[in-house]
Amino acid sequence: SVNPDLGSERQTASFCVEKLTALLDGGAEQTRIRRAVVEAIESDPEFSRENQYFQTQNERYEAAVRKAVHLQKKMHEMGWTENGPEYKYIYRALSGDVAFLLHRVFMRSISVLGSDKQIAKWIPLATQHKLIGSYAQTELGHGTYLQGLETTAVFDTATQEFILNTPKISAMKWWPGDMGRSATHTVVFAQLYIHGKCYGIHPFIVQIRSLQDHSLCPGITAGDIGPKMNFEHIDNGYLLLKNVRIPRENMLSKFCEVRPDGTYVRQGSQQINYFTMTTVRVSLIADEVLTPLMKACTIAVRYSVVRRQSKLKPGEQEAKILDYQTQQEKLLPQLAAAYAFHFVNNYLQELFNRGYREIQRKNFDMLPELHALSSGFKAVITQHCTAGVEICLRACGGHGYSLLSGLPSLYTKILASCIYEGENTILLLQTARFLIKCFMAASAGQPVPPSVTYLAAVKHGKCPAKNKLDFLSPDIYTEAYQHVAVRLTSSTAAKLQDLIQSGVKKHDAWNQCTVQLVQAAKAHCHYIAVKNFAETVEKLETKAGIQKIMKHLCDLFALHGIFSNTGAFLHDGYTSAAQMDMVTASYLDLLAVIRKDAVPLVDAFDFTDQNLNSALGSYDGQVYQRLYEWAQKSPTNQMSPAYERYLKPLLHNTLSKL
Amino acid sequence: SVNPDLGSERQTASFCVEKLTALLDGGAEQTRIRRAVVEAIESDPEFSRENQYFQTQNERYEAAVRKAVHLQKKMHEMGWTENGPEYKYIYRALSGDVAFLLHRVFMRSISVLGSDKQIAKWIPLATQHKLIGSYAQTELGHGTYLQGLETTAVFDTATQEFILNTPKISAMKWWPGDMGRSATHTVVFAQLYIHGKCYGIHPFIVQIRSLQDHSLCPGITAGDIGPKMNFEHIDNGYLLLKNVRIPRENMLSKFCEVRPDGTYVRQGSQQINYFTMTTVRVSLIADEVLTPLMKACTIAVRYSVVRRQSKLKPGEQEAKILDYQTQQEKLLPQLAAAYAFHFVNNYLQELFNRGYREIQRKNFDMLPELHALSSGFKAVITQHCTAGVEICLRACGGHGYSLLSGLPSLYTKILASCIYEGENTILLLQTARFLIKCFMAASAGQPVPPSVTYLAAVKHGKCPAKNKLDFLSPDIYTEAYQHVAVRLTSSTAAKLQDLIQSGVKKHDAWNQCTVQLVQAAKAHCHYIAVKNFAETVEKLETKAGIQKIMKHLCDLFALHGIFSNTGAFLHDGYTSAAQMDMVTASYLDLLAVIRKDAVPLVDAFDFTDQNLNSALGSYDGQVYQRLYEWAQKSPTNQMSPAYERYLKPLLHNTLSKL
């Protein structure tokens, strides 16, 4: 039975929830397929996550391997294939709680970096799981700066082998997933040396464990890097190589080859390879970043209409906490951000599909823009969504702090997305470098890519808004965002120029501008996100109340951004203080409007209770009952393990006399 | 041997580290006592935390109980007493990793709320550990709003007993520490009923477990609430009461008594009791909030001079990451905040000592101000420090994400401080209520408490700064902070008045202003923190470079606050855009200045390696060696537990045929 405090929220929805779900999925047919996958996964007890919050790292790992193996069977049973329409929903249905993700990266790296011969040899072995692959790039001493990797691969002409070594402790491979305990093979990135000359980083296939008994191969030291903030189910590993010899054929050689005599040959264009690395940043946004934020919003919003605390008016019933303005101000902007970034993700996917088609036609013109957008949005979205999940967690008070709320594990997992696949600050600086370059080009009248043409059209006007309702006009706020992005880019470009002209060396000057460059990159992405949301809303069908509620969310996303960063808009007087007060008024008004649809808006994300795995967020809102029943199953609910040895002697005064 | 990249940082300190440590401790003698306590604790293997990151919740709990019991012995051996000078250093030396903290709260509540007779009966029993106490206030359904607690205590004149019940699931006690598995007694807060009339919340001593065999008493259901984001060592518990009868004497009756015939008598003044609740918020700041931030800064700063990544200039050695402006901008403001809040804490301690003396003289005039300051600063400091620890964690990239860095557990623990002892938003609104009241009083020419007299002196001037160096003048920036605090308070007061005059009901009007009220409360605390830091620096001895470096940190703390919140200062034109550019320039300049002393500034916090418990933060900076050696001890470094059952059949193709 549904908690009436939650049920009543659903009766007053201003729009059709099912239609919004279909919009999010990209069509009703997609919704149907997704639900079928979820149903098949969740009805299979092998995939249960019920005990997850009680398990040790060892237990989590074992369960993830079990699920990965069982998944092979399941896919066969269900007729799902890796190229089928169901495939992309499996990972979400499992909440990512499965091993061998790096096995797929292993395969992809061979497909992209290997020669046809290498592909023909290794891909079938991997597909049939005659080996388990991993991908060993990061080292203890180097992550971001790939050129600095220290593992060596020396070519021995005599034996036609590469000799791999870890010359010092900082060169130890560290973090590769699936490598700590599972993998038999891995792709090792190492500095290639031929006849004493270094040719830079190259990829090598190395066997690390026996296919017979899983013992470590000669010269290999490997293991698990130990406890982490999350990802207990993954055996992130370390790897030390000592004179490990591999045949010449094991260097992945689509782009570079070492001939038997030691001649080094570079062939083909690596551009498509860079493109692949860039797309990874985009591909993780949906599953690893948006889904956790959507789950956190679902949990926090449902809890906030079930939780009653204190009174708004004396003599009345205690109020739902979502009726407090401060609670709305915490949660509703996160909800708006989840939608905003969902649409940005659609935009990026489309752009990358187009980029892929162009690149296949050998047109690489889009690459710099794609790189800048994927870097910037990876950073901005992971940052924003991580902060959003944390806000949701805190907004649930003490109960949010229990693992059973589901919120702590969402937070500790999404946090990693700010670090992996490019540390966020580094990525924003890459976007900034692109912006500065394009700004200079545009200033010189040269053509620039579409997403940055606005940099050329610097306007020195003022915001034309006359009352608070004007700030519900997408033209008004989009223009304001644009103005700020241009101002931050141009003023930082000017500072950079001034420093260089005053004699500061180029690299020092760059370093002295990086705090402001990061601001410019963020402002650029924020502007595009707002513009894209507004354009998306424009195109929506007006039926079933969808466009109207999405317009509200778009307004909220935009105004929240201004309200939280007023200085950027006030700085040069583009927005006046009086206008900023209008923004605040419109923003606070919107909170009360969207609050009415908060539950339908999270319902539209369509998470099942199993998928949420949260005592606070279930569809029926029976929060307290669930917390109590679940807590009773905790392994800590036995007699105190400290009783006989410590508590009893203490209470009975029979501890060895003090 | 110390890593030379760390060692060189210490040789260029601009001040005497030992003198700064003494300043932080409150004198060289205090430093000596603290170090003696740390030495005694750390040389005792019973208190080791070496395996902490590998342990399960059950193991953590058992170790915490063991340590609590052993601590009794240790204190006796060392001659430490609860009133001695060593006592306050024990908890820090143990990193809080010890049980029975609620036993102390149990004792304090009896001392404060109990009659002389009750104190005489229970305190000796508790002191001698003939019972283990807890404190059961929070329920599943109520935390913040105490009046809403639902547990009942009905007086039965016939038997002279109270009958305690949990009438519904939301009334279940939830969260009390030490109660899940250890406590034999607890203080239960319940709604008192006599002859069918409710008299509100009162405290009752209830035995929950047998003193003989620790089994649950009749009518008691209790257990552990299960896994949490941290505090695995504490058995936070639940408690269900079913017709539990306790004698009339068990209601703590210093302030209220139930006579045998059921007459309810209120006696004495509860003011001192409110004062006690208020001081708890201040007392937790040092150990639970500042220490974690100081530790996080120590870890992140030391790591950032040992970690080299990428090059600032081509052809040179890779740069220490602390040489990047963006890394300085992440870490150094946190360091400045740690010092700023340390001095705020001194200020609050002093104020509360004075308040205590006044209250003992039956002068309660200071109470509202003390309540407002303790509420506001509890919220602002916990919020700021939690965010600071998170920034430190993220600034260490992948290695910060490993539990072995120590940062994840610092973060997950400090996060709780935003929730317990008053949820932060609620607390800020209490401060805001005080501000609005005082602002109205001041506007009407009435006297107000010292910390808010500035509200009366609204000035409409402009910031007089003419160049970036002017912003290194404490008068300039303190005045700017003051101006913002006044503006936010007065404008919100005006909005509140306008709403009420336009016919909005008082409570609705308040709710519609709460987002802005929270801003005003934060601005007030920020102003006082800046002012207090500046005044503290003023009074420091100029010897040994201490005053100079503290002045830099004070400037950084102040300018960082402006730089991160420019809109508040630009809004009404008090600060111009040109002045804001000066702030930015001075702020960025300061980063480069303080960067030179970053390591000495964290060394001054004087944490031992054992106390930090971090592979990244050790005094010798041998990061990679430590990570590797420590990881090898992880319980995940055994043969894969999934091999025989899953991996082997998969690799050998002997899984049941697909």
Side-chain angles (χ1 to χ4, degrees):
Chain A
S1 73
V2 173
N3 186 321
D5 277 341
L6 181 53
S8 64
E9 300 279 339
R10 295 187 170 121
Q11 281 154 20
T12 53
S14 78
F15 63 91
C16 171
V17 172
E18 185 66 18
K19 281 224 187 271
L20 184 52
T21 299
L23 174 69
L24 288 168
D25 281 323
E29 174 61 8
Q30 291 299 313
T31 301
R32 196 193 56 74
I33 298 172
R34 178 176 56 74
R35 285 182 181 157
V37 170
V38 169
E39 162 64 21
I41 297 278
E42 294 191 349
S43 62
D44 187 333
E46 287 289 321
F47 294 121
S48 166
R49 291 159 61 227
E50 209 191 325
N51 292 318
Q52 180 176 315
Y53 302 128
F54 301 141
Q55 288 175 326
T56 64
Q57 194 179 351
N58 267 327
E59 290 163 347
R60 289 290 302 279
Y61 160 74
E62 187 169 356
V65 171
R66 187 193 73 225
K67 289 179 191 180
V69 171
H70 186 68
L71 182 59
Q72 298 303 315
K73 203 166 166 178
K74 193 78 187 178
M75 286 181 65
H76 185 76
E77 265 175 36
M78 301 298 298
W80 299 337
T81 66
E82 304 207 351
N83 304 314
E86 297 88 0
Y87 193 71
K88 66 173 170 173
Y89 298 120
I90 296 174
Y91 185 80
R92 168 170 153 153
L94 292 167
S95 289
D97 208 20
V98 63
F100 303 162
L101 297 178
L102 270 288
H103 183 67
R104 303 186 51 74
V105 177
F106 173 83
M107 288 173 73
R108 194 176 58 217
S109 62
I110 292 173
S111 308
V112 173
L113 304 173
S115 65
D116 292 344
K117 205 170 153 192
Q118 288 169 324
I119 294 172
K121 174 179 176 186
W122 294 99
I123 296 299
L125 290 172
T127 306
Q128 296 159 47
H129 286 100
K130 292 194 174 165
L131 57 80
I132 299 166
S134 173
Y135 180 87
Q137 181 177 297
T138 301
E139 297 175 355
L140 259 176
H142 286 89
T144 300
Y145 185 62
L146 291 186
Q147 291 165 264
L149 292 176
E150 296 172 299
T151 301
T152 57
V154 176
F155 186 59
D156 179 354
T157 357
T159 61
Q160 293 289 298
E161 291 171 319
F162 295 105
I163 311 166
L164 278 82
N165 271 293
T166 303
K168 52 203 281 207
I169 186 157
S170 57
M172 192 183 300
K173 294 294 174 188
W174 197 266
W175 279 112
D178 292 332
M179 193 179 77
R181 315 175 81 175
S182 295
T184 59
H185 289 67
T186 188
V187 172
V188 170
F189 284 80
Q191 301 284 359
L192 169 65
Y193 284 87
I194 310 170
H195 302 316
K197 186 181 163 193
C198 182
Y199 288 83
I201 289 297
H202 288 75
F204 303 85
I205 298 178
V206 180
Q207 181 173 353
I208 59 172
R209 286 189 178 88
S210 156
L211 289 169
Q212 281 315 301
D213 63 5
H214 220 237
S215 61
L216 292 170
C217 294
I220 300 289
T221 304
D224 184 277
I225 64 165
K228 298 150 294 187
M229 205 166 178
N230 197 308
F231 292 92
E232 298 98 331
H233 63 295
I234 300 295
D235 54 323
N236 297 92
Y238 59 80
L239 174 68
L240 260 164
L241 301 149
K242 195 171 173 188
N243 293 324
V244 174
R245 288 177 168 267
I246 58 168
R248 189 178 63 91
E249 293 72 26
N250 278 22
M251 184 176 109
L252 291 176
S253 55
K254 181 167 193 166
F255 301 115
C256 307
E257 197 190 352
V258 178
R259 298 258 166 86
D261 65 349
T263 313
Y264 178 82
V265 187
R266 189 171 276 283
Q267 54 202 6
S269 160
Q270 289 207 40
Q271 302 254 31
I272 187 85
N273 181 31
Y274 293 129
F275 179 71
T276 306
M277 286 162 61
T278 293
T279 52
V280 170
R281 291 194 183 119
V282 174
S283 66
L284 66 87
I285 291 174
D287 280 336
E288 303 296 346
V289 190
L290 294 181
T291 298
L293 179 60
M294 288 171 174
K295 283 185 179 178
C297 286
T298 305
I299 295 166
V301 165
R302 286 183 183 160
Y303 176 68
S304 296
V305 298
V306 162
R307 177 77 167 183
R308 288 178 177 272
Q309 199 78 179
S310 200
K311 300 182 180 185
L312 268 168
K313 291 171 203 172
E316 282 196 354
Q317 193 185 7
E318 289 186 63
K320 294 177 173 183
I321 59 174
L322 195 59
D323 287 327
Y324 293 100
Q325 191 188 46
T326 45
Q327 187 77 354
Q328 294 165 10
E329 215 266 322
K330 289 175 191 177
L331 299 183
L332 303 184
Q334 313 319 319
L335 193 51
Y339 279 92
F341 292 136
H342 172 83
F343 294 125
V344 167
N345 188 45
N346 286 354
Y347 160 76
L348 291 174
Q349 294 291 354
E350 210 171 289
L351 204 67
F352 272 75
N353 291 341
R354 189 141 47 84
Y356 187 67
R357 286 194 302 270
E358 288 301 315
I359 284 163
Q360 284 183 316
R361 282 187 231 145
K362 305 277 176 200
N363 172 8
F364 302 110
D365 293 351
M366 282 179 76
L367 268 181
E369 184 182 31
L370 291 175
H371 178 66
L373 281 170
S374 67
S375 301
F377 272 116
K378 185 274 183 181
V380 165
I381 297 178
T382 56
Q383 185 105 346
H384 208 114
C385 293
T386 300
V389 171
E390 198 204 29
I391 290 168
C392 290
L393 187 156
R394 290 198 200 184
C396 293
H399 293 319
Y401 194 77
S402 164
L403 290 200
L404 304 178
S405 75
L407 292 165
S409 62
L410 288 173
Y411 174 74
T412 53
K413 196 170 182 193
I414 195 175
L415 176 64
S417 72
C418 297
I419 300 162
Y420 61 57
E421 295 299 335
E423 195 276 330
N424 280 353
T425 304
I426 309 289
L427 291 180
L428 287 167
L429 288 173
Q430 302 203 3
T431 305
R433 197 176 284 278
F434 170 79
L435 288 177
I436 296 291
K437 214 169 147 182
C438 292
F439 175 77
M440 306 299 261
S443 305
Q446 291 157 17
V448 292
S451 64
V452 287
T453 46
Y454 75 96
L455 291 175
V458 191
K459 291 171 219 151
H460 291 287
K462 304 248 172 198
C463 172
K466 295 203 165 42
N467 57 57
K468 69 174 180 177
L469 293 180
D470 286 345
F471 278 104
L472 303 181
S473 155
D475 286 346
I476 297 276
Y477 54 68
T478 306
E479 194 115 335
Y481 273 94
Q482 188 190 86
H483 180 87
V484 168
V486 173
R487 180 176 65 76
L488 289 171
T489 303
S490 63
S491 68
T492 313
K495 177 180 171 183
L496 199 56
Q497 286 295 92
D498 287 352
L499 283 169
I500 291 168
Q501 274 166 18
S502 74
V504 179
K505 291 213 183 97
K506 226 173 166 180
H507 303 94
D508 285 330
W510 178 261
N511 191 26
Q512 288 172 36
C513 292
T514 46
V515 166
Q516 287 149 303
L517 286 163
V518 165
Q519 289 184 329
K522 284 183 182 171
H524 169 67
C525 293
H526 212 147
Y527 159 58
I528 294 185
V530 167
K531 184 164 145 273
N532 179 69
F533 201 163
E535 287 170 359
T536 304
V537 169
E538 191 70 23
K539 285 179 232 148
L540 289 176
E541 52 172 342
T542 52
K543 280 186 299 184
I546 302 292
Q547 194 190 43
K548 195 173 163 207
I549 186 69
M550 287 299 108
K551 168 71 168 56
H552 287 320
L553 284 178
C554 178
D555 294 346
L556 186 71
F557 178 71
L559 298 189
H560 173 71
I562 302 178
F563 178 76
S564 317
N565 192 17
T566 56
F569 296 83
L570 288 167
H571 191 94
D572 62 354
Y574 180 83
T575 313
S576 69
Q579 285 172 328
M580 202 48 84
D581 292 341
M582 296 170 199
V583 168
T584 303
S586 262
Y587 168 61
L588 295 176
D589 287 350
L590 269 173
L591 292 178
V593 171
I594 295 171
R595 182 258 169 271
K596 291 180 204 149
D597 275 320
V599 168
L601 281 169
V602 300
D603 283 353
F605 295 142
D606 202 28
F607 293 111
T608 61
D609 284 357
Q610 265 178 269
N611 201 243
L612 282 179
N613 213 17
S614 161
L616 307 191
S618 63
Y619 190 81
D620 67 6
Q622 298 295 358
V623 168
Y624 302 137
Q625 194 67 39
R626 272 168 206 266
L627 274 173
Y628 178 43
E629 283 169 10
W630 207 345
Q632 287 175 83
K633 295 178 193 159
S634 168
T636 52
N637 270 310
Q638 319 137 347
M639 177 80 173
S640 168
Y643 180 66
E644 285 297 333
R645 197 147 164 215
Y646 305 109
L647 295 180
K648 187 174 172 187
L650 182 75
L651 290 164
H652 291 200
N653 202 14
T654 55
L655 282 174
S656 59
K657 214 171 154 49
L658 295 182
Chain B
S1 72
V2 172
N3 186 319
D5 277 341
L6 183 53
S8 64
E9 300 279 338
R10 294 188 171 119
Q11 281 155 17
T12 53
S14 79
F15 63 93
C16 171
V17 172
E18 185 65 17
K19 281 225 188 265
L20 184 53
T21 298
L23 174 69
L24 289 167
D25 280 325
E29 173 62 9
Q30 290 299 313
T31 300
R32 196 194 57 73
I33 297 173
R34 178 176 56 73
R35 286 182 181 156
V37 170
V38 168
E39 161 64 21
I41 297 277
E42 294 191 348
S43 61
D44 187 333
E46 286 288 322
F47 293 122
S48 166
R49 290 159 63 227
E50 209 192 322
N51 292 318
Q52 181 176 313
Y53 302 130
F54 301 142
Q55 288 175 327
T56 64
Q57 193 179 352
N58 266 327
E59 289 163 348
R60 290 290 302 279
Y61 161 74
E62 188 170 355
V65 171
R66 186 193 74 227
K67 290 179 190 181
V69 170
H70 187 70
L71 181 59
Q72 298 305 313
K73 203 166 166 177
K74 192 80 187 175
M75 287 181 65
H76 184 75
E77 265 174 38
M78 301 297 297
W80 299 338
T81 67
E82 304 208 350
N83 303 315
E86 297 88 359
Y87 193 71
K88 65 173 169 174
Y89 298 119
I90 296 175
Y91 184 79
R92 167 170 154 153
L94 292 167
S95 289
D97 208 22
V98 63
F100 303 163
L101 298 179
L102 269 287
H103 183 67
R104 303 185 51 76
V105 177
F106 173 83
M107 288 173 73
R108 193 175 60 217
S109 63
I110 293 173
S111 308
V112 174
L113 304 172
S115 65
D116 293 344
K117 205 170 151 191
Q118 288 170 325
I119 292 172
K121 174 179 174 184
W122 293 100
I123 296 299
L125 290 171
T127 305
Q128 296 159 48
H129 286 102
K130 294 195 172 162
L131 57 82
I132 298 166
S134 172
Y135 181 88
Q137 180 177 299
T138 301
E139 297 175 355
L140 259 176
H142 286 88
T144 301
Y145 186 63
L146 292 186
Q147 290 165 266
L149 293 176
E150 297 173 298
T151 302
T152 56
V154 176
F155 186 60
D156 179 355
T157 359
T159 60
Q160 292 290 299
E161 291 170 319
F162 295 106
I163 311 165
L164 277 81
N165 271 293
T166 304
K168 52 203 281 204
I169 186 157
S170 57
M172 191 183 301
K173 295 294 176 189
W174 197 266
W175 280 111
D178 293 330
M179 193 180 77
R181 314 175 80 174
S182 296
T184 60
H185 289 67
T186 189
V187 172
V188 170
F189 284 79
Q191 301 285 359
L192 169 65
Y193 285 88
I194 310 170
H195 302 316
K197 187 183 162 191
C198 182
Y199 288 84
I201 289 296
H202 289 73
F204 303 85
I205 298 178
V206 180
Q207 181 173 353
I208 59 171
R209 287 189 177 89
S210 157
L211 289 170
Q212 281 315 303
D213 63 6
H214 220 236
S215 60
L216 292 169
C217 294
I220 299 288
T221 304
D224 184 279
I225 64 166
K228 297 149 294 188
M229 205 166 178
N230 196 309
F231 292 91
E232 297 99 331
H233 63 295
I234 299 295
D235 54 320
N236 297 91
Y238 59 80
L239 173 68
L240 259 164
L241 301 148
K242 193 169 175 192
N243 293 324
V244 173
R245 288 177 169 265
I246 57 168
R248 189 177 63 90
E249 292 74 24
N250 278 22
M251 184 176 107
L252 291 174
S253 54
K254 181 167 192 167
F255 301 115
C256 308
E257 195 189 354
V258 179
R259 299 255 168 86
D261 65 348
T263 312
Y264 178 84
V265 188
R266 189 171 277 281
Q267 54 202 7
S269 160
Q270 290 209 40
Q271 303 255 33
I272 187 85
N273 180 32
Y274 292 129
F275 179 71
T276 307
M277 285 163 59
T278 293
T279 52
V280 170
R281 291 193 184 121
V282 174
S283 66
L284 65 89
I285 290 175
D287 280 335
E288 304 296 347
V289 191
L290 294 181
T291 298
L293 178 60
M294 289 171 174
K295 284 185 178 178
C297 286
T298 305
I299 295 166
V301 166
R302 287 182 181 162
Y303 176 69
S304 295
V305 298
V306 162
R307 177 77 169 181
R308 288 178 177 273
Q309 199 77 181
S310 199
K311 300 183 179 186
L312 267 169
K313 289 170 206 174
E316 284 197 353
Q317 192 185 9
E318 290 186 62
K320 293 177 174 184
I321 60 175
L322 195 58
D323 287 328
Y324 293 100
Q325 190 189 48
T326 45
Q327 187 77 354
Q328 293 165 11
E329 214 267 322
K330 289 174 191 176
L331 299 183
L332 303 184
Q334 312 320 318
L335 193 52
Y339 279 92
F341 292 136
H342 172 83
F343 295 124
V344 167
N345 188 45
N346 287 354
Y347 160 77
L348 290 174
Q349 295 290 353
E350 211 172 288
L351 204 67
F352 272 76
N353 291 342
R354 190 142 46 87
Y356 187 68
R357 288 194 300 272
E358 289 300 316
I359 284 163
Q360 284 182 315
R361 281 188 232 143
K362 305 279 176 200
N363 172 9
F364 302 110
D365 293 352
M366 281 178 76
L367 267 181
E369 185 183 29
L370 291 175
H371 177 67
L373 280 171
S374 67
S375 301
F377 272 116
K378 185 273 183 182
V380 165
I381 296 178
T382 57
Q383 186 104 347
H384 208 114
C385 293
T386 300
V389 172
E390 198 203 30
I391 289 169
C392 290
L393 188 155
R394 290 199 200 184
C396 294
H399 293 319
Y401 193 77
S402 164
L403 289 200
L404 305 178
S405 76
L407 292 164
S409 62
L410 288 172
Y411 174 74
T412 53
K413 196 171 182 194
I414 195 175
L415 177 64
S417 72
C418 297
I419 300 161
Y420 61 58
E421 294 299 334
E423 195 277 330
N424 279 354
T425 305
I426 309 289
L427 291 180
L428 288 167
L429 288 173
Q430 301 203 3
T431 305
R433 197 176 283 278
F434 170 79
L435 287 176
I436 295 291
K437 215 169 146 183
C438 292
F439 176 77
M440 306 299 262
S443 304
Q446 290 158 18
V448 293
S451 62
V452 287
T453 47
Y454 76 94
L455 290 175
V458 191
K459 292 170 218 150
H460 291 285
K462 305 247 173 200
C463 173
K466 295 204 163 39
N467 58 56
K468 71 175 180 177
L469 294 180
D470 285 346
F471 278 103
L472 303 180
S473 154
D475 286 346
I476 297 276
Y477 55 67
T478 305
E479 194 116 335
Y481 273 95
Q482 187 189 85
H483 180 86
V484 168
V486 173
R487 181 177 64 76
L488 289 171
T489 303
S490 64
S491 68
T492 313
K495 177 179 172 184
L496 198 57
Q497 288 294 92
D498 286 354
L499 282 169
I500 292 168
Q501 274 167 17
S502 74
V504 179
K505 291 213 182 97
K506 226 173 167 180
H507 304 93
D508 285 330
W510 178 262
N511 191 26
Q512 288 172 35
C513 292
T514 46
V515 167
Q516 287 149 304
L517 287 163
V518 165
Q519 290 184 328
K522 285 183 182 171
H524 169 68
C525 293
H526 212 150
Y527 159 58
I528 294 184
V530 167
K531 183 164 147 278
N532 179 68
F533 201 164
E535 288 169 359
T536 304
V537 169
E538 190 70 24
K539 284 180 233 146
L540 289 176
E541 51 172 341
T542 51
K543 281 186 298 183
I546 302 291
Q547 194 189 43
K548 195 174 163 207
I549 186 68
M550 287 299 109
K551 167 71 168 60
H552 287 322
L553 284 178
C554 178
D555 294 346
L556 186 72
F557 178 70
L559 297 190
H560 173 71
I562 302 178
F563 178 76
S564 317
N565 192 17
T566 57
F569 296 83
L570 287 166
H571 190 94
D572 62 353
Y574 180 82
T575 314
S576 69
Q579 286 172 326
M580 201 48 82
D581 292 340
M582 297 170 199
V583 168
T584 302
S586 262
Y587 168 62
L588 295 176
D589 288 350
L590 270 173
L591 292 178
V593 171
I594 294 171
R595 182 260 170 269
K596 292 181 202 147
D597 276 321
V599 168
L601 280 168
V602 300
D603 283 354
F605 295 143
D606 202 27
F607 292 111
T608 62
D609 284 357
Q610 265 178 268
N611 201 242
L612 281 179
N613 214 15
S614 161
L616 307 191
S618 63
Y619 190 81
D620 67 6
Q622 298 294 0
V623 169
Y624 301 139
Q625 194 68 36
R626 271 167 206 267
L627 274 173
Y628 179 43
E629 282 170 10
W630 207 346
Q632 288 175 81
K633 295 177 193 160
S634 168
T636 52
N637 270 309
Q638 321 138 347
M639 176 80 174
S640 169
Y643 179 66
E644 285 297 332
R645 195 146 165 214
Y646 305 110
L647 294 180
K648 188 174 171 186
L650 181 74
L651 289 165
H652 292 201
N653 201 15
T654 54
L655 280 173
S656 58
K657 214 169 153 51
L658 294 181

